[in-house]
Amino acid sequence: MNDTAFGADTGTPAAGAAPRRIGDPWAQAFAAELKHRHSPPPGLVDRLLEEVAEAVAEAGRPAEELLGPAAEYAGLVAAERIDETHRSVLDLEGRTPAAHFRQGLVAAGAVFAVLTAVHSLTGREEGPGAVPLVLAVPLYVLLAVTFAVFPALRAAGRVRAAWGWSLGVAVTTLAGAAALARLPVVREADPLGFPLLTTVGCGVLLGALALLLPEAALERLLGAPRGGDGDDEQWLRRLGALLRGRHGVPVQAAKQHVAEAREHLAASGGSARQEFGPVEVYAMHLTDGPGRAVRRARRELVGSGLSALVLTAMTVVAVLEGETGRPDFWVRVALCVLSGVYAASLLPKVRAR
């Protein structure tokens, strides 16, 4: 760490600090890496940029030459300047459970709004078996919420709850859609029972709701139950859940870490908290290192790959039903291609060692 670039973290920029313009895109890349990968506390990014600018001005050299690549330096700074208690609640993507819920709900709301708008503007699907939006919207909203809840619960280390919620929603959605389609009132209803502004507004409302919900309330709702690591067995179970969910460690490797911790406790005779400290901090230390980037790429590959498969299936169905002339068909095709390209771009990272 370059001591001239970063002094004591006093909470405010040093007096007479240089402007935050560093003269090239390095500063923007550095700030983006910190914000999106390490979720720093409020105000820290601005302080760091001030300190970097001052160091660059004093040295008279470009930031990259003085400090190295922005992404690598951001990782070094995060390890030194961000408290480990704060870092321990972040998952592979550098997000808290509340951040996952908010971003997931905003994204799901946006997708819902776009798809319903395209569907509404390109005509109606008349005919028996069509489900009107007045009944389909609750199912869509439930799916959108699941899009946000699953990664949030996983980031909280509640892996079973995440999969249980998703399975329950899948069963409810399929059963509900099948039951609704059989009702005479549904078969005879207008499949676009809501006006355009109402359907699009529903998606916008989802995104607005995510931004308005207090973060503290979301953390209490999504986080692990209080006292969940009170005794050694609870601590060990929580360790395994955090390794699998928050940090993306494979199941067998997570079990091995838990077994080693249990053996150590049996030999030492101490308690888990005495020997290892807070379970979230210990899980973070176990998973720090170069393998973290590989695990993150693997998790992103699974998500984008599943998205590509689902969108491909929807595209194939549309082709078989002769609906290739509709604009919403080409929206699905574009999303399918983008998901596939992104998944392919992750393969070299997954294979890295």
Side-chain angles (χ1 to χ4, degrees):
M1 184 65 61
N2 190 311
D3 293 334
T4 63
F6 293 96
D9 192 356
T10 60
T12 57
R20 283 188 286 132
R21 293 185 180 180
I22 301 178
D24 55 35
W26 191 97
Q28 295 179 355
F30 175 70
E33 185 74 12
L34 276 175
K35 291 177 181 178
H36 299 308
R37 294 292 182 95
H38 304 286
S39 297
L44 181 59
V45 173
D46 288 338
R47 294 197 297 273
L48 293 175
L49 287 173
E50 294 285 358
E51 294 171 9
V52 169
E54 184 176 6
V56 167
E58 290 178 357
R61 297 160 57 193
E64 186 158 8
E65 180 183 329
L66 180 65
L67 304 171
E72 294 181 10
Y73 196 59
L76 294 174
V77 170
E80 182 172 310
R81 296 291 290 274
I82 300 178
D83 179 75
E84 66 176 11
T85 302
H86 176 81
R87 291 192 295 118
S88 69
V89 302
L90 306 178
D91 73 341
L92 282 174
E93 299 176 34
R95 301 177 188 171
T96 64
H100 266 293
F101 182 84
R102 283 179 169 171
Q103 294 175 19
L105 203 56
V106 168
V111 170
F112 177 82
V114 170
L115 290 180
T116 54
V118 171
H119 183 85
S120 298
L121 293 172
T122 56
R124 300 170 180 266
E125 293 181 359
E126 306 290 352
V131 179
L133 285 185
V134 68
L135 296 175
V137 162
L139 295 178
Y140 289 147
V141 171
L142 187 60
L143 288 173
V145 172
T146 300
F147 190 76
V149 168
F150 178 83
L153 289 176
R154 185 177 61 184
R158 301 176 64 185
V159 182
R160 292 183 179 178
W163 285 109
W165 171 276
S166 301
L167 179 61
V169 168
V171 172
T172 300
T173 302
L174 292 175
L180 288 175
R182 292 179 176 274
L183 294 176
V185 65
V186 173
R187 292 201 303 269
E188 298 171 4
D190 179 358
L192 290 176
F194 279 4
L196 174 61
L197 289 179
T198 303
T199 56
V200 173
C202 184
V204 174
L205 182 61
L206 283 174
L209 178 64
L211 298 176
L212 291 174
L213 289 172
E215 183 170 355
L218 286 175
E219 294 292 352
R220 286 195 299 269
L221 179 65
L222 299 168
R226 292 186 177 181
D229 58 349
D231 60 35
D232 287 353
E233 282 304 314
Q234 289 177 327
W235 191 98
L236 291 168
R237 284 196 299 270
R238 178 69 177 150
L239 174 63
L242 287 170
L243 291 175
R244 295 193 306 274
R246 180 170 295 174
H247 301 291
V249 175
V251 175
Q252 291 303 319
K255 289 181 177 179
Q256 181 63 30
H257 283 303
V258 173
E260 291 173 357
R262 180 177 280 110
E263 291 175 3
H264 177 87
L265 292 176
S268 67
S271 69
R273 290 188 67 87
Q274 289 174 339
E275 295 292 323
F276 302 114
V279 64
E280 293 186 334
V281 175
Y282 184 69
M284 178 192 68
H285 288 318
L286 283 178
T287 56
D288 275 344
R292 190 173 186 84
V294 176
R295 294 195 303 274
R296 174 175 178 168
R298 185 184 297 121
R299 176 169 285 182
E300 291 178 349
L301 176 62
V302 171
S304 57
L306 288 176
S307 298
L309 287 175
V310 171
L311 290 166
T312 299
M314 294 172 63
T315 303
V316 170
V317 170
V319 171
L320 294 177
E321 294 182 353
E323 298 179 356
T324 57
R326 295 173 57 89
D328 52 347
F329 167 78
W330 294 108
V331 171
R332 289 196 294 270
V333 170
L335 292 174
C336 179
V337 171
L338 289 175
S339 297
V341 169
Y342 183 66
S345 70
L346 292 170
L347 289 175
K349 298 180 182 179
V350 171
R351 294 170 180 166
R353 291 292 183 268

